[in-house]
Amino acid sequence: MPPPTNPGALSWPLSSPRVGQPFCEYLAGGKHLGIDIYSTNTDVLAAADGTVTRTGFLCTDPYSHLGNYVTLSHNIQGKPYTTDYFHLASIDVAVGDSVNKGQKIGTMGNTCTGDVHLHFALKQGATYTNPCLFLPEGAGGIGCPTTPATCSGF
């Protein structure tokens, strides 16, 4: 069953966003389990109120190229979700911190990738969910397809 949709439950993690790589598109080695977002503003913002559950750096092989990353846990529509923010130039939060929707958590970068962008992923449990289903529609939503709703990995 596809997840419920709630446009606006999440806010865009970058201002003036443009989606470059859509959700669940095939890439070399597997599927793209999030969306790549580009912007001229590099402040990365929490997409919802939550708690920082992981931060770090991972760049070990072609399939583990997160770079600097932050993971937040959230309660959205009464269900637990996590959001991931990859390829950060800097991290401004620590594990255990509470964050508010729209709070700066880092700076967009290109760690372990070729170009400056934010890879943004949404999970409910172990299921990757299309973040476009939860992001506001409108200017930022242009180029953010809402299908498929979920995606399994490699």
Side-chain angles (χ1 to χ4, degrees), residues 67-135:
N68 292 317
Y69 68 90
V70 171
T71 299
L72 304 178
S73 64
H74 313 277
N75 183 323
I76 301 170
Q77 299 174 323
K79 297 182 189 222
Y81 282 86
T82 59
T83 52
D84 293 318
Y85 308 77
F86 297 161
H87 310 307
L88 302 176
S90 65
I91 297 171
D92 295 351
V93 292
V95 172
D97 287 352
S98 292
V99 296
N100 296 314
K101 187 176 192 175
Q103 179 180 331
K104 183 179 178 189
I105 61 170
T107 305
M108 182 173 59
N110 65 344
T111 54
C112 296
T113 188
D115 58 345
V116 175
H117 71 279
L118 174 69
H119 176 89
F120 179 66
L122 174 68
K123 284 173 57 175
Q124 183 183 12
T127 303
Y128 285 90
T129 301
N130 189 339
C132 297
L133 295 168
F134 293 84
L135 291 165

Side-chain angles (χ1 to χ4, degrees), residues 21 39 102:
Q21 182 81 36
S39 177

Side-chain angles (χ1 to χ4, degrees), residues 6-32:
N6 186 2
L10 297 176
S11 63
W12 283 94
L14 293 166
S15 62
S16 303
R18 180 180 59 81
V19 175
Q21 182 81 36
F23 179 71
C24 204
E25 190 170 271
Y26 279 97
L27 300 173
K31 295 179 184 174
H32 194 237

